[in-house]
Amino acid sequence: MPIPEKIPGWRWLASAWGIYGVVWIALEGRLWRVVFLAVLTTAVALLALTQTYLAGRVLTLRWWLVGMAGAGVCGGAGSGLLTLLLMAVKTGLHAHGPEFSAADILWVTQQIPLWTAVGLTAGLGTGLLTWGIGHERSW
């Protein structure tokens, strides 16, 4: 599977991430907003790492699936852990008491194994789909 030199849409996604991050700081804490920022941050980071270290390479099916599965695991687990970190940062920035309840923190903590498993499944599924689309055969 060839990795393109430039990932299409990466700059737009990175720009949207930057704008949303600036807006997010000013808004009051809502759980869905911090989860969205964490997922967006993780996606931008994974795409940046892919473009930096894999651009222009051609991967075999095995390494493509290993990479996509690893990216999925990192995306799922990373989003959960980054959500917790951003919740702490947001609470520290707004010095008027906690932005998030103990129930919010517990919910995010309990979701990390699920998000990791979903990331693994989504990574493998995406890897298989993109490999199949890139290597279509006439049946």
Side-chain angles (χ1 to χ4, degrees):
M1 182 73 173
I3 309 294
E5 289 289 330
K6 301 277 185 184
I7 296 175
W10 184 82
R11 287 186 188 260
W12 286 102
L13 184 64
S15 298
W17 167 76
I19 292 168
Y20 184 74
V22 169
V23 170
W24 174 80
I25 290 172
L27 298 174
E28 288 299 316
R30 295 278 188 270
L31 186 57
W32 69 270
R33 289 181 186 149
V34 72
V35 169
F36 181 73
L37 182 61
V39 169
L40 192 58
T41 302
T42 305
V44 168
L46 287 171
L47 288 173
L49 289 170
T50 299
Q51 188 165 321
T52 302
Y53 294 107
L54 296 177
R57 294 184 184 213
V58 178
L59 301 178
T60 64
L61 174 60
R62 174 182 299 152
W63 287 112
W64 176 248
L65 292 179
V66 166
M68 291 298 289
V73 166
C74 290
S79 293
L81 295 172
L82 190 56
T83 298
L84 292 172
L85 178 66
L86 290 172
M87 290 169 89
V89 167
K90 184 75 163 180
T91 299
L93 288 175
H94 292 201
H96 58 70
E99 293 276 330
F100 303 98
S101 68
D104 291 339
I105 296 168
L106 181 62
W107 182 82
V108 172
T109 303
Q110 291 172 340
Q111 298 309 305
I112 292 173
L114 174 64
W115 292 354
T116 303
V118 169
L120 172 65
T121 305
L124 282 173
T126 303
L128 287 170
L129 283 173
T130 54
W131 184 272
I133 290 170
H135 294 84
E136 284 185 32
R137 297 180 186 163
S138 58
W139 295 93

